[in-house]
Amino acid sequence: MDPRAAFTNFADGKLYLDLDDLSCAVIAVFGFKFKKQDLRDLMEQYSAPDAPGICLEAFQALVEERRRLFGERDRALRLFAALDKEDRGFLDLASFEDLCLQTCRPAASRCKEIFHDMDRSKTGTVTFSDFESYLA
C-alpha cells in the first residue's frame, strides 16, 4: 500500500499515527508486522518533540528509509504479499493452488511440488521466511 494511503487509513482523521496506528500502517505498507520495540524506537526517532505521534511527512520518511534498508528483501515482501491474498501472513496449499490455477496454468501442474519445496518447516504453511529462503 502507498504510504500516504496507509497513513490516511490508519490515522483515522488525526494528523499523526500513534503506536497502534503505526503498527497497522507498517503492515499495510510492508506486508509484515514489526516488533513492538522496533515500533517504539521508530516512534522516538520520527516523532517531533512533544508530538503525540508520527506526522505524514515523518511516516513517508520512515517508509523511504526502511525501503532503502530492506533493499531486495522488500521485493520478496511485495511478492509474498501479492500471493497472500487473504493477508494472513502465510500461504497454505489450497490458496496457493487456487492462485496458480488463476494466474499461471503451467505452474499449476507443479504447484504442490513448489509449495512443498517452499514449506521448509513441513507445517503445511509457507511463511515469509520460508518464501524468502526459497527465492534465494
Side-chain angles (χ1 to χ4, degrees):
M1 179 180 276
D2 170 70
R4 181 179 292 275
F7 183 93
T8 302
N9 285 337
F10 295 104
D12 197 32
K14 298 179 300 222
L15 298 176
Y16 62 89
L17 297 172
D18 63 24
L19 188 63
D20 292 332
D21 300 333
L22 179 62
S23 178
C24 295
V26 296
I27 291 170
V29 171
F30 294 103
F32 67 95
K33 187 174 183 176
F34 284 35
K35 292 180 181 176
K36 203 62 144 180
Q37 186 57 50
D38 293 339
L39 291 170
R40 286 186 192 105
D41 292 344
L42 290 171
M43 286 291 285
E44 186 176 322
Q45 181 180 354
Y46 286 94
S47 294
D50 299 323
I54 295 177
C55 68
L56 173 60
E57 293 76 20
F59 181 67
Q60 290 173 315
L62 175 159
V63 169
E64 185 177 322
E65 180 185 337
R66 292 294 160 212
R67 283 185 173 159
R68 202 172 34 253
L69 290 173
F70 290 144
E72 272 303 299
R73 192 161 196 246
D74 185 50
R75 184 179 143 273
L77 284 168
R78 285 185 278 129
L79 288 169
F80 184 80
L83 294 172
D84 182 17
K85 294 243 181 221
E86 296 176 30
D87 201 25
R88 297 180 296 175
F90 65 88
L91 308 174
D92 63 17
L93 181 57
S95 62
F96 187 70
E97 282 179 313
D98 289 344
L99 188 65
C100 287
L101 284 169
Q102 293 171 14
T103 60
C104 187
R105 290 240 178 239
S109 64
R110 294 189 50 233
C111 69
K112 287 181 183 175
E113 175 188 347
I114 294 167
F115 183 86
H116 291 298
D117 286 347
M118 289 191 296
D119 183 13
R120 294 181 314 150
S121 59
K122 305 303 178 207
T123 60
T125 60
V126 174
T127 63
F128 172 70
S129 178
D130 293 334
F131 182 74
E132 187 176 38
S133 294
Y134 179 79
L135 293 178

